Amino acid sequence: MQSQEDIRNLPIDITFSRLGEWLVDRKRIPSDWRKRMAVIRTKISKEFPSLPKDIDPYFHTLDPEGIDYLEAKKICEKLLKSTPESRNIFGRLSGAAGSWEAIVRSYEKDHIFLSEAAQIMVQNVNYEIPFQKKQVQKIQQQLAELDRKEADTKRSVALSAAKYVEACQELGLQGKSVRHELLETANSLPSTFSRILEVISSDSMSQAMEYYSTFVRDVHTHAEKDKSVAVLLNLKDIRENPPSMNVSAASEIVGSVDVQSSSNDNQIVGEDTKAAGDSIDWDISVDSPQIDWDIGTVEETEDAGNGLGPYEMVNASEFLEGPQETDQTPSSKEGNTLPAALSASEVSWDISVDTPQVDVIDDANPPNISVENQKSVPDILTQSPGISEDRSQLLETEYRNKILDDLYEIKAFLNQRLVELRNEETLSLRNQVQSVAPLVLQQYSPDAIETMLSDVSSAISLLTNRKTRDLIMILNSKRYLDRLVTALEAKKHHEVKLKEGLKDLASKRMELQNALSSSWPKQEAALNKTRELKKLCEGTLSSMFDGRPVNIIGEINALLNSGISM
């Protein structure tokens, strides 16, 4: 059988969620504790506005709705320390300290503070602390998602920048002013055309043309040979009459660039002129008493004597004929009439205007217009009209297509001859045919034909490669130039847009970090409050049961332990 000492040492375990009911059932607190709590809350709301907050900074952090027994007791202690002389003749506290001491005593009467502590612990464990933890986890997940999105965006920025640089390098651009640089790259066309003419005029090309022409004549009958068999006329024409190497932009492209340049220059000049005008001090004062403007009060009359109003515009001939008709009627103002003998023939209308000498200052470089602000116009747009009219024929699509037709014709012929010469099965037949063929068809070996084929392919490549076609289209088509500029600027704009997205992500990250930094203190404050209330309840209940240990059990312990491990 257990002794009284053993029974006294047995712990009392109370589930935190049923602590309030347990206290009411054992009559440790009154059953109307909620009404008493409402009265205490009313006292706190009434006394809080009159609390001297300048005494301690702690008072500025308080919220009247969040003040409980522990905080009311702490307020009372701080007021007592700051004003120890606030006691009346009976030894009781007076003023604010006395009011808060009364609140604390109301809490301690019938252990009302235990019911409040049990209620706060249930609320914190079941609602407040889990909510704060979920908020922290949610913010941490958002930060992790933000890190992933930021990494993806940075990769996209690098990829977009690389694509833009690659596209500019393909066209030989630096990427600063795309439209002007595209027109500048067209200056390389003359050198490309020169290489094309050099290949077409080479000895290997001459041999290929002679070889093909001779073969065509040889395969025709005698009746057809009498007629002129014309082949490769376009190649012969370009060799005999080389086209001009002058390249210039189409008129619509020149006009669009001129309009754009003039608008930019006018804007720059307008701003500089305005700034210059503002900096000039004309030294004119209208109120200066030294100037006599000789302006008096003019009295307007309804009739000026000649039937004209004071502000009417008058024809000279009508004005001179007017006095003769008005002689019969008396004038109301003698000074306003003209002599009747005055005629138009007696008036000398020779009016000479003396042009004053004006010193013209020819300033080639205005001080407020810097050369750096002036955009350089591509040389290809500044050529004279005469030169622009003599554009290279190679810029024309039809002319190039005719040249390419002849080149492809020769290439097909040379490929076929090369296959025939290297075919061992038809070697005997080929020897018989070539024995009666012209000498020019017999003197070329497969290696010589390969050299001809290489030159022909080189000329075709120079005419048909993408860069050459793009440069020609840039000079010929404004729509193509605009489309090319738009495509390049779209890639650049995509990169800029992604960088702006990075700024938005950075600002959002800062907001989340601020929210996280504000959520941690709330969670820690709730955990500390719950821990203090649990300790208060266990200590108070232990004293009520003659020192027997009291343990508040349940989810509260797991939650507080997890809070410590965090």
Side-chain angles (χ1 to χ4, degrees):
M1 187 176 177
Q2 295 181 348
S3 62
Q4 292 293 332
E5 186 67 23
D6 293 338
I7 294 175
R8 189 180 296 113
N9 292 330
L10 286 176
I12 300 174
D13 295 337
I14 307 172
T15 305
F16 83 98
S17 60
R18 300 187 59 83
L19 179 59
E21 298 177 5
W22 188 89
L23 291 172
V24 173
D25 292 341
R26 284 156 181 79
K27 299 188 183 302
R28 299 299 176 179
I29 60 174
S31 58
D32 60 343
W33 62 269
R34 287 185 174 83
K35 294 181 179 180
R36 298 190 184 187
M37 276 298 306
V39 174
I40 296 173
R41 300 306 310 174
T42 303
K43 291 181 180 179
I44 292 175
S45 301
K46 181 180 178 181
E47 296 296 333
F48 184 78
S50 60
L51 183 67
K53 298 183 178 59
D54 297 335
I55 294 177
D56 196 298
Y58 170 73
F59 294 158
H60 292 280
T61 62
L62 295 176
D63 182 14
E65 297 297 330
I67 295 177
D68 56 4
Y69 168 71
L70 293 176
E71 290 184 350
K73 192 174 181 179
K74 191 173 182 179
I75 292 172
C76 184
E77 292 175 355
K78 288 184 177 295
L79 289 175
L80 186 59
K81 289 180 181 179
S82 60
T83 57
E85 68 282 356
S86 60
R87 291 183 179 272
N88 56 22
I89 57 176
F90 300 104
R92 293 185 179 181
L93 293 173
S94 62
S99 301
W100 285 97
E101 185 185 25
I103 293 173
V104 172
R105 287 179 179 176
S106 299
Y107 268 119
E108 293 176 348
K109 185 179 179 180
D110 295 332
H111 302 95
I112 298 298
F113 66 90
L114 289 178
S115 60
E116 183 191 50
Q119 185 180 21
I120 293 175
M121 283 192 295
V122 172
Q123 182 178 355
N124 285 349
V125 173
N126 291 340
Y127 303 105
E128 186 66 24
I129 296 176
F131 172 76
Q132 294 296 338
K133 285 190 173 183
K134 287 181 180 179
Q135 284 293 105
V136 171
Q137 292 175 357
K138 182 179 179 181
I139 294 174
Q140 290 175 342
Q141 290 177 356
Q142 289 178 348
L143 285 173
E145 182 68 19
L146 205 63
D147 292 337
R148 185 190 63 79
K149 188 179 293 185
E150 186 176 5
D152 293 342
T153 305
K154 287 182 178 179
R155 284 195 296 268
S156 299
V157 168
L159 183 61
S160 180
K163 287 182 178 180
Y164 178 71
V165 172
E166 182 181 359
C168 290
Q169 288 178 351
E170 287 181 359
L171 297 172
L173 308 178
Q174 295 180 355
K176 296 180 180 178
S177 179
V178 176
R179 184 178 295 272
H180 284 73
E181 290 177 13
L182 282 173
L183 293 172
E184 283 289 349
T185 54
N187 291 329
S188 62
L189 274 179
S191 60
T192 303
F193 291 165
S194 298
R195 290 198 301 272
I196 293 172
L197 291 179
E198 182 179 352
V199 173
I200 293 177
S201 302
S202 62
D203 295 337
S204 177
M205 186 68 71
S206 300
Q207 294 173 1
M209 293 173 63
E210 182 183 3
Y211 188 25
Y212 178 60
S213 300
T214 304
F215 182 85
V216 171
R217 286 195 301 270
D218 184 64
V219 297
H220 282 76
T221 61
H222 291 285
E224 293 173 341
K225 286 181 181 179
D226 294 339
K227 302 178 182 178
S228 58
V229 180
V231 292
L232 308 178
L233 296 178
N234 299 302
L235 278 179
K236 291 177 182 177
D237 179 68
I238 194 174
R239 286 167 60 89
E240 296 173 358
N241 304 307
S244 170
M245 294 294 101
N246 176 48
V247 294
S248 59
S251 58
E252 58 177 358
I253 298 177
V254 176
S256 64
V257 175
D258 287 343
V259 170
Q260 183 178 4
S261 300
S262 62
S263 63
N264 293 335
D265 293 341
N266 290 337
Q267 183 178 3
I268 295 172
V269 172
E271 293 176 357
D272 293 338
T273 307
K274 181 178 180 181
D278 294 340
S279 63
I280 297 176
D281 184 10
W282 298 99
D283 194 17
I284 295 177
S285 176
V286 179
D287 298 332
S288 176
Q290 299 177 358
I291 301 177
D292 184 10
W293 298 100
D294 194 17
I295 298 176
T297 304
V298 179
E299 183 177 335
E300 297 181 1
T301 60
E302 296 181 357
D303 188 3
N306 54 2
L308 303 176
Y311 300 108
E312 292 190 36
M313 301 297 295
V314 184
N315 189 352
S317 60
E318 295 178 357
F319 185 81
L320 292 175
E321 294 173 357
Q324 296 177 1
E325 298 175 357
T326 57
D327 282 344
Q328 298 175 359
T329 60
S331 176
S332 60
K333 301 283 185 178
E334 293 180 1
N336 293 332
T337 58
L338 292 175
L342 185 62
S343 62
S345 60
E346 296 178 0
V347 180
S348 176
W349 294 100
D350 295 336
I351 300 174
S352 62
V353 179
D354 295 334
T355 304
Q357 295 182 355
V358 180
D359 295 334
V360 179
I361 301 175
D362 187 8
D363 190 354
N365 294 320
N368 294 324
I369 302 177
S370 61
V371 180
E372 297 177 355
N373 292 332
Q374 299 177 357
K375 289 187 177 180
S376 59
V377 180
D379 296 337
I380 201 166
L381 301 177
T382 57
Q383 297 178 357
S384 62
I387 297 177
S388 299
E389 293 176 359
D390 189 21
R391 299 176 73 216
S392 176
Q393 288 180 298
L394 289 173
L395 293 175
E396 301 175 5
T397 304
E398 184 178 356
Y399 184 79
R400 292 196 312 277
N401 289 340
K402 291 179 180 179
I403 303 299
L404 285 172
D405 288 344
D406 289 355
L407 290 174
Y408 280 121
E409 189 174 347
I410 296 180
K411 183 178 180 179
F413 166 72
L414 293 177
N415 281 324
Q416 182 64 30
R417 292 297 296 162
L418 197 59
V419 171
E420 293 173 354
L421 291 176
R422 289 179 175 175
N423 191 356
E424 299 295 337
E425 297 178 358
T426 60
L427 180 61
S428 59
L429 179 61
R430 184 175 67 248
N431 292 333
Q432 294 177 7
V433 173
Q434 286 187 348
S435 62
V436 295
L439 179 61
V440 69
L441 298 179
Q442 303 179 23
Q443 64 182 356
Y444 294 119
S445 63
D447 294 337
I449 294 177
E450 279 188 354
T451 303
M452 300 177 193
L453 188 61
S454 175
D455 288 344
V456 173
S457 299
S458 176
I460 293 174
S461 176
L462 289 173
L463 275 171
T464 58
N465 69 71
R466 180 179 177 182
K467 185 175 182 180
T468 303
R469 288 187 286 108
D470 287 344
L471 294 179
I472 292 174
M473 287 294 293
I474 287 171
L475 294 180
N476 288 341
S477 173
K478 180 179 179 295
R479 290 181 61 188
Y480 181 81
L481 176 62
D482 293 341
R483 187 166 63 248
L484 197 59
V485 170
T486 302
L488 291 173
E489 289 180 348
K491 293 181 179 179
K492 183 65 176 177
H493 179 69
H494 183 62
E495 178 187 354
V496 174
K497 188 176 181 180
L498 289 175
K499 289 181 178 179
E500 292 177 355
L502 283 176
K503 294 180 181 179
D504 295 338
L505 291 177
S507 61
K508 190 173 182 180
R509 175 193 296 279
M510 185 172 293
E511 293 177 0
L512 291 175
Q513 288 176 347
N514 293 335
L516 183 62
S517 61
S518 63
S519 296
W520 279 113
K522 293 179 181 179
Q523 180 180 343
E524 291 299 321
L527 287 170
N528 292 333
K529 173 68 70 175
T530 306
R531 195 175 290 112
E532 290 178 1
L533 293 174
K534 179 176 177 289
K535 184 178 180 180
L536 174 66
C537 291
E538 289 176 345
T540 304
L541 290 173
S542 178
S543 63
M544 292 170 63
F545 290 98
D546 299 331
R548 289 183 62 180
V550 176
N551 298 323
I552 297 177
I553 61 175
E555 297 177 4
I556 185 172
N557 294 318
L559 191 65
L560 294 177
N561 292 333
S562 65
I564 294 174
S565 62
M566 290 174 61

